[in-house]
Amino acid sequence: MQNPEQRMGRPRDHQIDQAVLQAARELLTEAGYSRVTMDATAARAGVGKAAIYRRFGSKAELLFAAAVHGMDIEPPPDTGSLRGDLRAMTRLIHERLSNPAAREVTPSLMAEMARDPSLVTRFQNTFIARERRDLTAILERAELRGELARPLDPLLAHLMLGGPLFLALLAFHQPVDEPLLDDLADVLAAGLIARAASPNSGDTC
């Protein structure tokens, strides 16, 4: 069986990949999550349905990639400090979650994941793993600079950074401005630095 991360890695044909994602975004805007189908997406993109399934295992995965992010994301450039890197990352996450397509997809996606544990596993092995890899890169930079006294589990940073933004934007519908993004990054950076310096915490990678 093909590994999900391999299937959702670098597209075999970039033009087809972009056509599929654009078609999915258009259909999502026109019809809403429930009415988007793989057949309609393939027809709109001008490709065979098999080409979509080579890239995405389900409609949920296709629409997440179209609305939020795909597997080609990268951490922000090195700013020279943990606070700077986390500030840049908060803006990337905010951009991904605050667009109208993400707001359309997220509630239906969460409902599907609640019904289908296999979908949760696929997301953990692909999109979530990719997000966590970006946080790992930021933490490793900080450790090399000497800002973190020891390695930390990227899960901690992932939950503490993504969780508040997810709640604010998609659950509470709370406006998030630039100062709040900076405050969130600063608090997280201070907490991670303190945790790495604590001899009693044991959450190394």
Side-chain angles (χ1 to χ4, degrees):
M1 180 180 294
Q2 192 175 22
N3 183 289
E5 192 162 7
Q6 292 176 336
R7 181 186 62 227
M8 299 182 65
R10 184 177 296 278
R12 299 182 186 188
D13 186 310
H14 184 69
Q15 289 183 330
I16 292 176
D17 190 65
Q18 293 305 309
V20 167
L21 292 174
Q22 181 61 34
R25 281 189 286 267
E26 291 173 1
L27 291 169
L28 183 65
T29 299
E30 295 168 12
Y33 185 97
S34 63
R35 294 191 177 185
V36 177
T37 66
M38 297 298 234
D39 286 326
T41 304
R44 176 71 63 95
V47 302
K49 189 163 64 172
I52 300 179
Y53 277 111
R54 281 197 295 270
R55 291 160 171 79
F56 306 101
S58 67
K59 182 179 85 168
E61 291 156 270
L62 165 64
L63 291 182
F64 183 91
V68 185
H69 71 74
M71 293 294 291
D72 57 348
I73 59 172
E74 295 291 341
D78 190 342
T79 66
S81 73
L82 177 60
R83 283 181 170 84
D85 285 358
L86 290 175
R87 285 182 174 187
M89 181 59 83
T90 60
R91 281 157 176 77
L92 285 178
I93 297 174
H94 179 265
E95 180 181 348
R96 292 167 188 162
L97 294 180
S98 62
N99 74 79
R103 293 177 184 271
E104 169 70 25
V105 163
T106 302
S108 298
L109 176 59
M110 298 301 293
E112 281 200 42
M113 293 177 78
R115 295 190 298 265
D116 184 359
S118 67
L119 181 61
V120 175
T121 299
R122 292 201 300 275
F123 264 76
Q124 289 174 338
N125 290 335
T126 53
F127 298 114
I128 295 172
R130 192 62 188 83
E131 293 169 7
R132 200 156 293 159
R133 194 175 87 179
D134 287 354
L135 265 299
T136 299
I138 288 175
L139 295 179
E140 288 176 347
R141 290 175 192 167
E143 189 184 355
L144 288 172
R145 295 188 203 104
E147 293 176 281
L148 295 178
R150 59 182 176 82
L152 292 178
D153 187 345
L155 172 62
L156 179 67
H158 194 192
L159 292 175
M160 292 180 66
L161 186 58
L165 287 171
F166 183 91
L167 284 175
L169 295 169
L170 300 173
F172 300 158
H173 303 286
Q174 171 72 41
V176 177
D177 58 16
E178 293 287 317
L180 183 57
L181 291 175
D182 285 344
D183 287 346
L184 176 61
D186 289 349
V187 169
L188 176 57
L192 292 173
I193 291 169
R195 187 158 185 83
S198 171
N200 297 321
S201 57
D203 58 335
T204 54
C205 297

